[in-house]
Amino acid sequence: MFSALWGLALNPLYILLVGVLWVVRWGLYLAMMLIIASAVLSLINPQAPLAWPLAALTAPLLKPFRRVLPMVGQFDLTPLVALLVIQVVLVLVDPTVVLALLGGH
């Protein structure tokens, strides 16, 4: 299947690398969903039962951005910047891009 998709021989390292890249991608998608849910919930109902756990889960992801980016009025733009950075990382860890950089066809 891999040789048909990317023109590569069935090298176990390529298969392992693609598997790791997909796990990383799904982790990034999960982080995006948590950040979006936390941001929407903080705007709609900050006292909701899920607001505190979502804020606790996203705080380590947003903490580096909060050190650099100040609040704009009462709005925290760090979720937006974090989502943009995650989108860039998703492009960089695309298996087709990585395999092309490693010498695939």
Side-chain angles (χ1 to χ4, degrees), residues 7-45:
L8 301 171
L10 288 177
N11 186 346
L13 291 176
Y14 282 133
I15 296 171
L16 179 65
L17 178 64
V18 170
V20 169
L21 290 174
W22 278 107
V23 169
V24 169
R25 288 178 63 82
W26 280 103
L28 291 170
Y29 283 125
L30 177 64
M32 283 178 51
M33 287 186 344
L34 289 173
I35 290 171
I36 291 169
S38 177
V40 168
L41 202 55
S42 71
L43 288 173
I44 294 174
N45 187 5

Side-chain angles (χ1 to χ4, degrees), residues 25 28 85-98:
R25 288 178 63 82
L28 291 170
V85 169
I86 289 173
Q87 286 292 322
V88 170
V89 173
L90 278 170
V91 169
L92 295 176
V93 297
D94 186 9
T96 55
V97 172
V98 172

Side-chain angles (χ1 to χ4, degrees), residues 32-68:
M32 283 178 51
M33 287 186 344
L34 289 173
I35 290 171
I36 291 169
S38 177
V40 168
L41 202 55
S42 71
L43 288 173
I44 294 174
N45 187 5
Q47 303 301 323
L50 281 178
W52 185 82
L54 282 175
L57 285 172
T58 58
L61 298 171
L62 299 176
K63 188 175 182 179
F65 299 106
R66 287 193 173 126
R67 286 188 206 138
V68 177

Side-chain angles (χ1 to χ4, degrees), residues 1-10:
M1 178 172 163
F2 287 101
S3 61
L5 290 177
W6 291 301
L8 301 171
L10 288 177

